Amino acid sequence: MRTPNSPHISGRWRRIGSAAAATGALLIAGLGTAAHADAATPHKVSSKAIAAAVAQAHVQYSSVCGTTPKKGYAACNALRVTGGTTAFQEEQAVKKGVKPATVSPKASSATPTGYGPSDLQDAYGLTDASANNGSGQTIAIVDAYDDPNAAADLATYRSYYGLPACTVANGCFKKVSQTGSTTSLPTANSGWAGEISLDLDMVSAIAPNAHILLVEAKSSSMANLGTAVNEAVKLGAKFVSNSYGGSESSSDTSYDSSYFNHPGVAITVSAGDEGYGAEYPAASRYVTSVGGTALSTASNSRGWTESVWKTSSTEGTGSGCSAYDAKPSWQTDTGCTKRMIADVSAVADPATGVSVYDSYGSDGTGWNTYGGTSASAPIIASVYALAGTPGSSDYPSQYPYEAPSALNDVTSGNNGTCSTSYFCTARTGYDGPTGLGTPQGLAAFGG
């Protein structure tokens, strides 16, 4: 990860960015939740009017987990919107015939300002699967430090969107340390609490019938985060999401064998938020590396369109050719002799960001909009869970390569400049920033 050009604020380095949404053109088919129905009755508006409104989305955001990490450590890939108007706000405003409100993160917001479960399920062809699949599956979230309000914030998110309750009492939610303790937990951390809320809410949005296991590492070192991955698998999770990364190093192949080599388990990892360039553990050959897109409504048969998420030359989805990790046999692009990032992708642009509820610490002001590949990684882990338990000897990262036509191919945009075009530029078929594409139902995610 490259050092961000940002001021030092409240004891942490924080990158400030802005993002503009891609043009979209189709009215979302309803808001999808009882809570959203409380809003003003939508006006009948043209696709052109909606496209013009969504194109106005422009936000400022900050990286919530601090400075670029030192060797052997990771930072989370969560970006919190701090100002401007999101694509969701612009779209809802034009449908109601009102001026869009701006994001005010320091004031408690009564309602979300980003995409919710019905939006994401519709965009990725998951509406029926999300309603009917996932029972009996456990999706693990691995993050650093403790979020003391994780259970309460999860309950608020799920209640607002009318999702089934997922609590410690009913056995759906469990929070443990990297050693499996439910009582001896790590030190609390405001930035990582925002990351945790983002992860839990994205699992809830995509796989509301699944159980959720939150495993908190005692620090953001790769050794502790890797130990937490092992604990998640030990506790029975077949789907493990990791929304963090750091610079590649010669230690990565050792980390691979110690922490990420778990056949029969779908392990997803964020590709990074700093534009073109490889990160670890996204570069591990044993994981599904997840890139990021800008997601907007459109007048096509899908009703949505996506492009590579890029805000600037140093702000956008990660991608690249690993310097250390071997290429898995199912990855057949010819420009990179080692592991190529990414495999698949999902929404990550803060301007087209997702709704998250977080109440802990300085960032915990209630409803916020988040972006970053920290959003896309748990989305993809949850799609794997909807598709069913992986084969016991399989590395599920190979599944999308066996059914590339079952994905939405993202063919526009780039995340920087590179000597080999597809490493940083979208094209038909495989490319680095978006991999093989985004979910179009479940067919690309089951063995």
Side-chain angles (χ1 to χ4, degrees), residues 159-177:
S159 175
Y160 179 88
Y161 284 112
L163 304 176
C166 187
T167 67
V168 174
N170 69 13
C172 175
F173 177 66
K174 185 175 184 179
K175 180 173 76 170
V176 300
S177 71

Side-chain angles (χ1 to χ4, degrees), residues 149-239:
N149 297 356
D153 290 350
L154 175 64
T156 298
Y157 180 91
R158 294 176 72 106
S159 175
Y160 179 88
Y161 284 112
L163 304 176
C166 187
T167 67
V168 174
N170 69 13
C172 175
F173 177 66
K174 185 175 184 179
K175 180 173 76 170
V176 300
S177 71
Q178 68 186 56
T179 62
S181 174
T182 58
T183 55
S184 182
L185 297 170
T187 303
N189 180 281
S190 177
W192 279 90
E195 170 65 64
I196 288 169
S197 291
L198 169 60
D199 292 338
L200 297 179
D201 291 353
M202 290 307 95
V203 171
S204 298
I206 301 300
N209 297 319
H211 287 192
I212 304 175
L213 171 66
L214 171 60
V215 185
E216 298 178 332
K218 66 181 180 181
S219 80
S220 62
S221 73
M222 196 58 62
N224 285 324
L225 288 164
T227 298
V229 172
N230 287 344
E231 184 65 23
V233 176
K234 177 183 175 182
L235 292 174
K238 297 297 183 184
F239 314 93

Side-chain angles (χ1 to χ4, degrees), residues 68-353:
T68 297
K70 62 185 179 181
K71 183 179 179 181
Y73 284 73
C76 78
N77 288 307
L79 303 173
R80 176 174 170 266
V81 172
T82 57
T85 57
T86 67
F88 179 85
Q89 287 177 302
E90 292 283 356
E91 185 177 2
Q92 298 310 307
V94 74
K95 289 192 295 187
K96 299 171 191 173
V98 298
K99 182 178 179 180
T102 57
V103 172
S104 300
K106 294 304 179 184
S108 180
S109 176
T111 59
T113 53
Y115 291 140
S118 64
D119 304 310
L120 298 173
Q121 293 168 19
D122 184 63
Y124 295 123
L126 301 170
T127 302
D128 289 342
S130 293
N132 298 306
N133 296 14
S135 296
Q137 305 289 15
T138 296
I139 303 169
I141 296 298
V142 171
D143 281 314
Y145 304 106
D146 179 42
D147 176 4
N149 297 356
D153 290 350
L154 175 64
T156 298
Y157 180 91
R158 294 176 72 106
S159 175
Y160 179 88
Y161 284 112
L163 304 176
C166 187
T167 67
V168 174
N170 69 13
C172 175
F173 177 66
K174 185 175 184 179
K175 180 173 76 170
V176 300
S177 71
Q178 68 186 56
T179 62
S181 174
T182 58
T183 55
S184 182
L185 297 170
T187 303
N189 180 281
S190 177
W192 279 90
E195 170 65 64
I196 288 169
S197 291
L198 169 60
D199 292 338
L200 297 179
D201 291 353
M202 290 307 95
V203 171
S204 298
I206 301 300
N209 297 319
H211 287 192
I212 304 175
L213 171 66
L214 171 60
V215 185
E216 298 178 332
K218 66 181 180 181
S219 80
S220 62
S221 73
M222 196 58 62
N224 285 324
L225 288 164
T227 298
V229 172
N230 287 344
E231 184 65 23
V233 176
K234 177 183 175 182
L235 292 174
K238 297 297 183 184
F239 314 93
V240 183
S241 178
N242 304 269
S243 293
Y244 53 82
S247 299
E248 291 193 287
S249 77
S250 58
S251 300
D252 292 351
T253 54
S254 175
Y255 294 146
D256 276 356
S257 58
S258 296
Y259 306 125
F260 296 102
N261 186 4
H262 293 287
V265 180
I267 301 176
T268 63
V269 179
S270 299
D273 293 348
E274 296 181 350
Y276 175 65
E279 283 192 6
Y280 189 85
S284 172
R285 59 180 171 150
Y286 298 121
V287 310
T288 299
S289 175
V290 186
T293 67
L295 173 70
S296 299
T297 53
S299 56
N300 55 29
S301 59
R302 178 187 170 194
W304 298 85
T305 187
E306 289 176 276
S307 60
V308 175
W309 164 44
K310 177 188 177 183
T311 300
S312 71
S313 61
T314 58
E315 297 169 334
T317 183
S319 71
C321 181
S322 174
Y324 301 100
D325 258 83
K327 198 175 197 70
S329 60
W330 51 85
Q331 196 174 56
T332 59
D333 63 293
T334 58
C336 173
T337 59
K338 293 189 180 296
R339 171 68 157 117
M340 188 69 195
I341 300 168
D343 298 309
V344 293
S345 52
V347 61
D349 186 346
T352 67

